[in-house]
């Protein structure tokens, strides 16, 4: 009996969140979290839950602007060292957006390990902005090259991190942002004081901040004053900007 070939796994885009606009003029690719090392299939619904909530909010906010929001479904659950599987899948997803929608600006929005994938894949020419929420970043190792930042030049970049995060070290995202700021002035970082990895305590403020950033980066809407100030402030001020309670409620 002939041995059956093992099917090749491929990444894919989820269905658009919310009604798909008749004309797409901007795309958000939502990158779920993952593991440092794993060749298992991702748990699609569980891993994607945080970014799906963000995608639904963005779809509602930017319906008239022509936003399409898609969750990226990875081939594997893990980053897997030099394979950088999640970043490769993110890059594939950007190529797929170009194939489907043509020359439209893309924002990569990732959570946890998806935040690392968004930052790593931000150099694609179609990407104009990157949003990394509680990004997983590797420990600094003198024997290994640091996480790259030069690919982010020319992009608007926002990092958001809870100060009490026990899964992904907020100090590592600060150090990354400080290096990225040297290569690209359009980098800012907000700290969510007393919040943990899931940012549940200040969920509304984090979603409002993400919406403000994406609407500004993709469609040219004026940023809220704290976001504009964070971009303009020299480090470390613009990289340790506190996310105020009630952000977004008075706009």
């Amino acid at each position: 009996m002939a041995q059956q070939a093992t099917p090749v796994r491929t990444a894919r885009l989820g269905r658009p969140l919310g009604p798909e606009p008749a004309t797409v003029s901007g795309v958000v690719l939502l990158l779920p979290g993952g593991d440092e090392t794993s060749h298992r299939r991702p748990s699609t619904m569980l891993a994607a839950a945080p970014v799906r909530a963000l995608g639904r909010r963005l779809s509602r906010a930017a319906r008239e602007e022509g936003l399409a929001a898609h969750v990226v479904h990875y081939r594997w659950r893990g980053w897997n060292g030099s394979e950088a599987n999640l970043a490769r899948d993110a890059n594939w997803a950007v190529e797929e957006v170009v194939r489907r929608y043509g020359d439209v600006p893309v924002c990569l929005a990732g959570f946890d390990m998806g935040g690392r994938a968004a930052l790593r894949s931000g150099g694609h020419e179609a990407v104009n902005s990157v949003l990394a929420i509680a990004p997983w970043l590797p420990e600094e190792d003198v024997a290994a090259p640091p996480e790259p930042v030069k690919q982010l030049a020319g992009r608007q970049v926002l990092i958001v991190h809870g100060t009490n995060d026990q899964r992904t070290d907020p100090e590592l995202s600060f150090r990354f942002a400080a290096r990225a700021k040297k290569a690209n002035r359009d980098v800012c970082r907000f700290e969510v004081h007393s919040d943990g990895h899931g940012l549940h305590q200040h969920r509304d403020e984090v979603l409002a901040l993400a919406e403000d950033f994406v609407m500004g980066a993709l469609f040219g809407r004026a940023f809220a004053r704290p976001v504009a100030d964070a971009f303009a402030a020299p480090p470390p001020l613009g990289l340790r900007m506190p996310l105020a309670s009630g952000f977004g409620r008075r706009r």
Side-chain angles (χ1 to χ4, degrees):
M1 186 174 178
Q3 188 173 7
Q4 200 169 23
T6 303
V8 177
R9 290 190 189 176
T10 57
R12 64 184 179 87
L13 293 189
R15 295 169 61 89
L17 295 172
E20 188 170 9
T23 301
V24 173
S25 55
V27 175
V28 172
L29 288 175
L30 301 152
L31 302 167
D35 294 335
E36 186 174 358
T37 305
S38 175
H39 284 90
R40 297 176 62 188
R41 284 188 180 278
S43 175
T44 305
M45 293 304 295
L46 183 63
V51 294
R52 287 181 67 86
L54 172 60
R56 286 191 294 268
R57 174 164 181 145
L58 293 174
S59 295
R60 289 193 300 269
R63 188 169 299 164
E64 294 183 3
E65 280 80 0
L67 177 72
H70 295 270
V71 175
V72 178
H73 298 293
Y74 308 128
R75 294 166 298 158
W76 315 104
R77 186 179 299 182
W79 182 272
N80 300 322
S82 61
E83 294 178 30
N85 289 131
L86 274 59
R88 290 188 182 189
D89 290 348
N91 198 69
W92 169 87
V94 180
E95 293 285 350
E96 178 64 10
V97 163
V98 173
R99 186 189 71 80
R100 290 190 191 186
Y101 299 120
D103 184 18
V104 298
V106 176
C107 175
L108 295 175
F111 171 73
D112 185 82
M113 192 69 77
R116 184 186 187 188
L119 293 164
R120 179 71 72 88
S121 305
H124 192 290
E125 61 183 8
V127 175
N128 85 336
S129 50
V130 175
L131 169 62
I133 301 174
W136 189 100
L137 292 165
E139 295 281 350
E140 296 169 355
D141 184 350
V142 295
E147 194 72 5
V149 297
K150 290 183 179 179
Q151 74 279 6
L152 297 172
R155 281 74 180 160
Q156 291 180 304
V157 180
L158 169 63
I159 298 173
V160 188
H161 219 139
T163 58
N164 288 358
D165 195 327
Q166 298 298 307
R167 172 174 162 80
T168 61
D169 188 347
E171 188 60 25
L172 292 177
S173 77
F174 169 75
R175 294 176 194 169
F176 176 91
R179 289 193 298 111
K181 188 78 171 178
K182 294 178 181 178
N184 174 18
R185 60 178 294 181
D186 289 327
V187 174
C188 70
R189 177 178 171 277
F190 277 75
E191 294 185 335
V192 190
H193 289 289
S194 78
D195 220 337
H197 184 61
L199 297 166
H200 300 302
Q201 187 176 340
H202 298 286
R203 179 177 181 272
D204 290 344
E205 287 88 347
V206 171
L207 290 176
L209 176 64
E211 177 187 327
D212 189 274
F213 172 73
V214 171
M215 295 298 289
L218 289 183
F219 305 115
R221 188 178 293 183
F223 291 127
R225 181 64 181 272
V227 178
D229 287 349
F231 275 122
L237 297 178
L239 306 179
R240 292 197 185 276
M241 187 68 71
L243 181 60
S245 179
F247 179 93
R249 293 178 196 166
R250 291 180 294 275
R251 280 203 88 200

